[in-house]
Amino acid sequence: MMCEICPCLHPGRGTVCAGAGKVVENFRGALAVIAANVPRAIAGRLARLTTAGKKAKSHSFFLLAGPFGAYAVKKAGMPPRLEAAMLSIVNACSRLWDKVQRRSQLGQLRTAVVEAICLVERHMSATELDIKLHNLMHLVDGIEQLGEH
């Protein structure tokens, strides 16, 4: 059975191995580097993304949209399939976060969001599939309904 986070094989054990802890540790380390260089309110929200027992809100995950998230994902040392899924979500969120949305680009935006969600559903643990991911599609719908700004 292949581990869901690191590229090892470990027959007869669970779907996540001890090596996965290194990926989480690397991700936390990258977030700590970012947190040391941003305002304190943002730093606290970044810390909640990986703290056990703390529930991160959707707006906290949007802090990872763009260069912050891409840096953290690349530093985590994930296997290529997980890295691709995470970078896809980071990039889709970054596009959703743009201040100006053009109606002519909404089809491409919707496609990017759907493809990112599909990659996460395909390559990540079922525990990652929650309402936050689903709500990304509603953001595209809202942009479409409100029109260009």
Side-chain angles (χ1 to χ4, degrees), residues 8 17 21-22 24 26 29 33 51 58 62 71 76 99 128-129 140:
C8 74
C17 73
K22 183 66 175 163
V24 174
N26 292 344
V33 168
T51 302
S58 295
F62 262 90
Y71 172 79
K99 290 183 179 184
E128 300 301 321
L129 308 177
V140 178

Side-chain angles (χ1 to χ4, degrees), residues 1-134:
M1 177 178 292
M2 186 168 198
C3 177
E4 291 180 7
I5 296 177
C6 76
C8 74
L9 294 173
H10 42 79
R13 293 181 21 207
T15 58
V16 178
C17 73
K22 183 66 175 163
V23 171
V24 174
E25 182 183 317
N26 292 344
F27 190 76
R28 282 186 182 138
L31 291 178
V33 168
I34 295 166
N37 294 287
V38 297
R40 194 168 35 171
I42 293 173
R45 287 171 46 198
L46 285 171
R48 282 191 293 277
L49 291 174
T50 60
T51 302
K54 296 278 187 174
K55 195 70 173 165
K57 297 187 175 7
S58 295
H59 66 270
S60 293
F61 282 101
F62 262 90
L63 289 173
L64 298 178
F68 286 171
Y71 172 79
V73 168
K74 293 298 269 181
K75 290 301 245 179
M78 297 175 187
R81 63 188 172 79
L82 290 182
E83 184 177 285
M86 290 296 291
L87 288 175
S88 182
I89 283 290
V90 165
N91 291 329
C93 289
S94 181
R95 290 181 67 184
L96 284 166
W97 202 248
D98 281 346
K99 290 183 179 184
V100 177
Q101 300 288 345
R102 302 277 181 228
R103 190 167 296 282
S104 62
Q105 300 291 314
L106 287 180
Q108 292 174 349
L109 178 61
R110 184 178 302 279
T111 299
V113 170
V114 168
E115 287 175 352
I117 291 170
C118 288
L119 279 173
V120 169
E121 288 175 345
R122 182 174 184 197
H123 295 297
M124 297 188 78
S125 167
T127 60
E128 300 301 321
L129 308 177
D130 64 9
I131 196 68
K132 290 178 204 77
L133 200 59
H134 170 81

